[in-house]
Structure formats: C-alpha cells, structure tokens
Amino acid sequence: MASITIRDVRKTYAGGFEAIKGISLDIADGEMVVLVGPSGCGKSTLLRMIAGLEAISSGEIAIDGRVVNALEPSERDIAMVFQNYALYPHMTVRQNMAYGLKNRGMAAAEIERRIAAAAASLEIGSLLERKPRQLSGGQRQRVAMGRAIVREPKAFLFDEPLSNLDAKLRVQMRVEIRKLQRSLSTTSVYVTHDQMEAMTLADRLVVLNGGKIEQVGTPIELYERPATTFVAAFIGSPAMNLIGKDALTADVAGLSLPPDVSTLGVRPEDLKIIGSQKDYPVRLAVEVGAVELVGAESYVHATTASGVEIVFRVAGRSMTAVGSRVDVGAETNAIHLFDAEGRRLEGHGQGAATREV
Ligand SMILES: Nc1ncnc2c1ncn2[C@@H]1O[C@H](COP(=O)(O)OP(=O)(O)OP(=O)(O)O)[C@@H](O)[C@H]1O
Ligand SMILES: [Mg+2]
C-alpha cells in the first residue's frame, strides 16, 4: 500500500504533441481515484506514466514518498489491469497467476497460498487448470484481476478494465472490484468512460480535459457543484441542460440574472412539468420533440421558443405527446450559474436567478 504523489507532470510525445499539460494530484494510501474525460484527454498517458510504461517529460511522480521517475515498471511494485486482459494464451490460469511471482524467485508454497487466496475471493478456484481461450470474457477479466492481486502490489492501475464486457457483467464486476478494493485497501487509479463506474467506484473523481485537470472531488461534489460548464456537461446522464443567457432572456419574460452570468445550467432530473404555479424562478414554455422511454423513466427532448434544445426526465412513461406544449420549471436551488469563461459563479450562484411575475 502506498500514496501516489504527482507533481506538475507533463508529457510531450515525440513529434511535439503535449498530451499532459502540468498535472498535480495527491492520491492517499488506500484511496480509489477514478480518471474520466473525453477520448484523447490523456487518461491512459497519465496512468502509463505512473506505471512507468511512458517516460515523464517533466515534473515528478512519487510512490510512497520515493520519486520513481527513473525506475523501471518492474521496480515500481504496481499492477496494471487492462481491458484486453493480456493473459498468456499458452498458460493455464494458475500458471498465468504464478508467472510473475516465479520470476521474482518466490517460494512455491507462498505462490500457492497467494493463488488460493485470490482464487477464493474472485471465485475462480474451479478454473485454475483451464487456458484463457476456455474462459468467458468475464472469467478472463477475473483472472487478470487475480494476477494483479497475487503480486500484492503497492497500487493497482486500471485502464477501462470492464469495457469489453456486456452490460450485466460490467455491473457485477464493478461491484466486485469495489468490494475487493475496499477489503484489500490497495491504492488504485481507475480510468473509465462509464458514468456509473465513475460515480460508484470513486472515492475521488478527477475530470481531465485536454491534458489538464478540470476538477477533483467526490462524485457527489462534482455532480452537485460542477466547477465549470465542462464538468457540468460531462458528469451526469443525460447531460445537464446549459442555456445561454441571451436565449434564456428571450424565452423567459421578466427574467433578471446577475450581470456576470453567461450560462444557466439545470439537470434533466431537476426540470419538472409545472402547471400554474407562479413560484418557479425559471419557467420555460417548450414544445416536445421526442420521448425516449428507458425503462423506469423517460427522457423528454423539447425545444424552447427561441430554439434551445433541452432534456428533462419524467418517472415512468411520459404522458406528454410529441408536438405538445408544456411549461417546465426548476427550483431555485437546482439552478447552476456560470460566467463567460464557463466557471461556476459561487456566492450568488444558487438563488440568484429571479423572475418578476
Ligand atoms: N505514442 C504516442 N505518440 C504521440 N501521441 C500520442 C501517443 N499516445 C497517445 N498520444 C496522443 O496523446 C493524447 C492522449 O492520449 P491518451 O491515450 O492518453 O488518451 P485517453 O484519454 O486515454 O483516450 P481514450 O479515452 O480514447 O482511451 C491523444 O491525443 C493521443 O493521440
Ligand atoms: Mg485511454
């Protein structure tokens, strides 16, 4: 177990492209940090620099207080789990798990003890004599986890480990990885594209954007108080509605917003169809364009008079027909305000939007 300290780390690839533009982050011993961000924002690059698979152009990475910039991957005592498992096809599950330990000269009895313990916690005891090709995708992923666990590394690095699995298996493995990480208390950095994985696995969530950190916080902090429009749009599905002040002023008669407000944000779950209530700070008359029933709820896509497209969520089946007009509104405390640079306006943020009716 170990802390990981990242100090003003940069990465410029051969050819001159700067993929990581100065990142600092302290990961505590036993913590699970999840990296999210759009494709190409540098998640894998950062993970590979921690692992030692990619050289650091400048800055410092320390594991347990020791700077590891010049250490080989094998000297860092870190285990990495990828989406493509990277198991040796000609070896059995047992041999796959034992391989790294044997190379280190570990005693056979200790290797057996570790494999037995990992196999028990991952429920793969009955698969130990099989070859990878005789396993399902989920079973292979378990073996890849097992191979990481038996090393008893200082930290686990995961790069989208579940993205090859079907939806049901992903959920199951997600829960298992969380349980395992909690029980082993091994410091972990986990990269994913999956909102649910990010929200449920992370002690802290890091949103990357173009090689820089956009925001760090607990999942709920990022969800409730996104620091920028980028984070607001990235965390949450369907994404937060972000409406420009000009469009809003055209759509909402008598709306008064503080002068530094440029964008108003409201989550689809915070917009409600309202009747004649007058006490909503923002009320939008919209025309319903499409309704998606996704099981327990529906996503209603609608357009305001000035042409802004919004989404709101309705429990169960939506009773609103395509083409119908409804009024939607949000409570004051559900409104997020951002300035012209896309930064959250604090202090007078929530509750500052007022409408004279
Ligand atoms: N070996 C390389 N040489 C040059 N550029 C690279 C190299 N590897 C990655 N890049 C570039 O660096 C940027 C970050 O890549 P990286 O793989 O870290 O993104 P990512 O966030 O993991 O994306 P994804 O979500 O698609 O996996 C991308 O623009 C990519 O094209
Ligand atoms: Mg990647």
Side-chain angles (χ1 to χ4, degrees), residues 43-44 159-160 191:
K43 303 178 294 293
S44 296
D159 198 350
E160 308 198 37
V191 169

Side-chain angles (χ1 to χ4, degrees), residues 6 81 88 96-97 102 112 158 160 212 261 292 295 339:
I6 300 170
V81 182
Y88 298 109
N96 262 287
M97 288 167 77
K102 268 192 186 146
E112 271 317 299
F158 299 92
E160 308 198 37
K212 287 187 182 161
V261 171
E292 296 174 300
D339 69 12

